[in-house]
Amino acid sequence: MIPISVNSSRDAEILAGLQLGGPARRSFEELLYTSFFYLTREGERKYSLTTDDSASAYSDAVISVIDNVVAGRFEHRASLKTYISQIFYNKCVDLKRKSATNKERVHHTSDLDTMMMMLPDNARNAVQQLIDNNNRILLRQKLSEIGEKCKELLLLFEDGYPDREIATMLHYNSAEVVKVSRRRCLDKLREKMPGYE
Amino acid sequence: MNEQLHYIDDYFTGALRPEEKAAFEQRCTSDQEFARAVAFYLTARSVIKEAVHENKAAAFKKMPVSMAVAKRPVGRYLAVAATLLLLVIAGWLYYKGSPAPSKLADSYIKENLSQLSVTMSSESDSLQTGIAAYNKGDYAAAEKIFTILSNTASVKTDAIKYLGIVYLVTKRYDMAITQFDLLSQIPLYANPGPFYKALALLQRGTPEDLQLAKKLLLEVKNNQLPGSKYAVEWLNKL
């Protein structure tokens, strides 16, 4: 397939901003969100979603796009509008299929699946059997008990910020200090979990 | 700290060499305790990621509706086209009709206040420094110098005048008017204060400003104050 180049200056601006990193990234995330918000009308019209559900699916789609761009998984084969539309329509279909009680959880296990895919089949199967989804609720609760700084550190890392950028944003001496601190925070979280202390 | 955690994090952040990766993957299948630690690590990271997404979604939801409801591109192009058309019509009307008061003032400022004349005076070196800064377009420096000098008795009058002019060209009309009011109160044989104040009022441009500017220009004309030539001309046009 012949790659379609990024065909608008707005796309280029948003993509550059998302890859820029640092605190400035937030404003480009918001710009991305506002730029294609009109797609939510399609969610209401084509998929008969409520306004809130359509906005929720759109928000999920934007977050996926951000994750993909930041992780370098966006290959510029389509314009941002086409890319976000495809993800958004898939989210709308997902939302439509989900039961009413599970609507908020469209993307929740996909991140785990993505990381699991880093393991080869044998190792993945061995680890998969030991994943206890019941731990998730308790982990969320314990996440708020490890201290604000630890939590912020872990959240920034999972948001795709590399250690060197986190060092600048949170005033650590170096990326190495961030790495060690981040692991300490994860360890702190583990120690708070019954059966893992 | 748990050494295993370093090892696991190194694997998932791509820090291990190929042979170390192979050993890691082998250990997942042969050491259940280790596999359990990996399972915990992955679950924890996935839960943290979930929290990141929820925070982001909540932030998006809080964004003001006016920002969130972006128009379709077609609508935006139409809006741009309509704005351009309006600008063209407004421009045509503007040039067709009589000159706007602010345009008169604008052209005076461009012609007469872009550069201040440098006077030879040994006792007012600082004033010359301020004028030089002004003429270079360094209005911030000029403002600082004239502000200080406006408290120095020997150059107070000129400093107040120049400070007002700095405010005028930098479009801070309220502050300019204050300085020109001060200048007008100084007993001078030919006080330029009223004319400069009229200029600032014409630039600020509220309906009351226009009336007051006319009154001041009339005073300038009747008393043959500095700027009377322009006052006569402008009063015919306003």
Side-chain angles (χ1 to χ4, degrees):
Chain A
M1 185 198 283
I2 299 168
I4 299 166
S5 61
V6 175
N7 58 4
S8 85
S9 57
R10 184 185 52 184
D11 278 17
E13 183 193 354
I14 293 172
L15 290 169
L18 291 179
Q19 284 160 342
L20 188 70
R25 203 180 97 191
R26 298 266 181 253
S27 59
F28 290 96
E29 293 179 359
E30 289 173 1
L31 181 61
L32 173 67
Y33 181 80
T34 53
S35 294
F36 304 102
F37 190 81
Y38 60 84
L39 288 173
T40 56
R41 290 187 209 134
E42 301 283 301
E44 293 170 43
R45 196 171 55 81
K46 279 190 187 167
Y47 300 94
S48 309
L49 294 177
T50 63
T51 306
D52 280 354
D53 282 350
S54 187
S56 171
Y58 175 73
S59 173
D60 281 353
V62 171
I63 290 166
S64 293
V65 171
I66 293 168
D67 281 350
N68 291 343
V69 171
V70 170
R73 292 191 293 264
F74 176 65
E75 293 173 343
H76 296 213
R77 287 175 186 273
S79 70
L80 261 184
K81 184 192 169 187
T82 308
Y83 188 57
I84 202 167
S85 300
Q86 285 167 351
I87 296 176
F88 171 61
Y89 296 146
N90 288 337
K91 297 277 183 194
C92 288
V93 173
D94 279 352
L95 204 52
K96 201 74 186 144
R97 285 180 186 156
K98 296 273 170 184
S99 66
T101 53
N102 212 17
K103 274 181 180 174
E104 297 295 322
R105 302 191 164 268
V106 174
H107 56 255
H108 287 184
T109 54
S110 61
D111 304 313
L112 183 57
D113 294 342
T114 308
M115 278 192 287
M116 285 293 254
M117 290 309 287
M118 290 175 74
L119 291 167
D121 289 351
N122 284 351
R124 187 163 64 241
N125 290 339
V127 172
Q128 184 85 59
Q129 289 166 13
L130 297 165
I131 296 269
D132 183 358
N133 277 321
N134 294 326
N135 270 347
R136 299 184 71 88
I137 297 166
L138 192 57
L139 265 168
R140 270 308 284 273
Q141 193 187 321
K142 298 295 177 192
L143 187 60
S144 58
E145 293 175 14
I146 58 170
E148 270 311 304
K149 186 118 188 184
C150 254
K151 189 178 165 186
E152 194 179 6
L153 190 54
L154 294 177
L155 290 179
L156 282 172
F157 182 73
E158 287 309 331
D159 202 3
Y161 290 97
D163 288 340
R164 64 183 156 72
E165 278 182 26
I166 299 175
T168 310
M169 290 162 81
L170 299 186
H171 311 293
Y172 282 91
N173 286 337
S174 66
E176 191 56 31
V177 177
V178 170
K179 187 167 87 175
V180 172
S181 305
R182 182 169 55 74
R183 289 173 177 180
R184 277 214 181 96
C185 293
L186 263 180
D187 210 26
K188 208 167 165 184
L189 185 62
R190 183 187 60 77
E191 282 169 359
K192 287 191 176 290
M193 290 296 288
Y196 289 90
E197 321 80 318
Chain B
M1 200 196 310
N2 184 349
E3 285 305 313
Q4 260 186 5
L5 187 61
H6 282 289
Y7 185 36
I8 297 169
D9 196 50
D10 277 342
Y11 178 88
F12 286 100
T13 52
L16 294 185
R17 292 194 301 270
E19 63 273 20
E20 290 172 325
K21 277 180 74 180
F24 179 97
E25 288 153 4
Q26 175 59 35
R27 194 169 166 193
C28 284
T29 56
S30 60
D31 179 347
Q32 200 179 25
E33 202 47 42
F34 181 72
R36 191 167 169 261
V38 174
F40 173 81
Y41 172 90
L42 290 175
T43 311
R45 283 197 56 187
S46 149
V47 165
I48 298 163
K49 186 92 174 172
E50 183 182 302
V52 169
H53 286 172
E54 283 179 15
N55 289 352
K56 239 183 249 285
F60 285 151
K61 209 171 179 176
K62 275 187 200 159
M63 283 176 69
V65 175
S66 59
M67 278 180 72
V69 183
K71 288 184 170 65
R72 280 169 178 274
V74 172
R76 197 169 57 216
Y77 294 141
L78 281 176
V80 170
T83 309
L84 283 174
L85 187 64
L86 275 176
L87 283 174
V88 169
I89 293 170
W92 181 72
L93 289 173
Y94 181 79
Y95 284 107
K96 185 174 172 280
S98 58
S102 64
K103 206 183 164 211
L104 291 172
D106 252 347
S107 101
Y108 177 88
I109 291 168
K110 272 181 199 151
E111 281 171 27
N112 299 282
L113 299 180
S114 300
Q115 296 282 304
L116 300 176
S117 57
V118 182
T119 54
M120 296 299 171
S121 164
S122 59
E123 63 179 356
S124 54
D125 284 350
S126 301
L127 202 62
Q128 301 309 320
T129 311
I131 291 171
Y134 179 99
N135 288 343
K136 274 194 292 181
D138 188 353
Y139 298 125
E143 180 186 341
K144 265 187 205 162
I145 295 167
F146 294 140
T147 303
I148 294 165
L149 295 179
S150 63
N151 295 313
T152 307
S154 60
V155 289
K156 184 178 177 176
T157 305
D158 283 337
I160 289 174
K161 180 177 78 177
Y162 292 139
L163 185 57
I165 291 172
V166 169
Y167 290 140
L168 184 64
V169 297
T170 53
K171 301 185 189 309
R172 287 173 289 171
Y173 303 122
D174 294 345
M175 293 162 84
I177 288 166
T178 306
Q179 294 306 316
F180 296 140
D181 274 337
L182 283 174
L183 182 62
S184 302
Q185 285 161 21
I186 298 173
L188 297 172
Y189 173 71
N191 196 323
F195 178 71
Y196 284 140
K197 184 179 174 183
L199 263 183
L201 289 166
L202 291 175
Q203 287 286 67
R204 195 169 67 177
T206 69
E208 298 79 25
D209 285 344
L210 184 58
Q211 289 312 311
L212 189 53
K214 279 183 184 172
K215 211 171 141 188
L216 285 168
L217 289 172
L218 200 60
E219 179 191 326
V220 170
K221 178 188 158 191
N222 292 340
N223 296 327
Q224 291 289 299
L225 295 177
S228 61
K229 186 184 94 180
Y230 291 96
V232 173
E233 187 188 324
W234 293 356
L235 282 168
N236 290 330
K237 291 179 179 172
L238 291 172

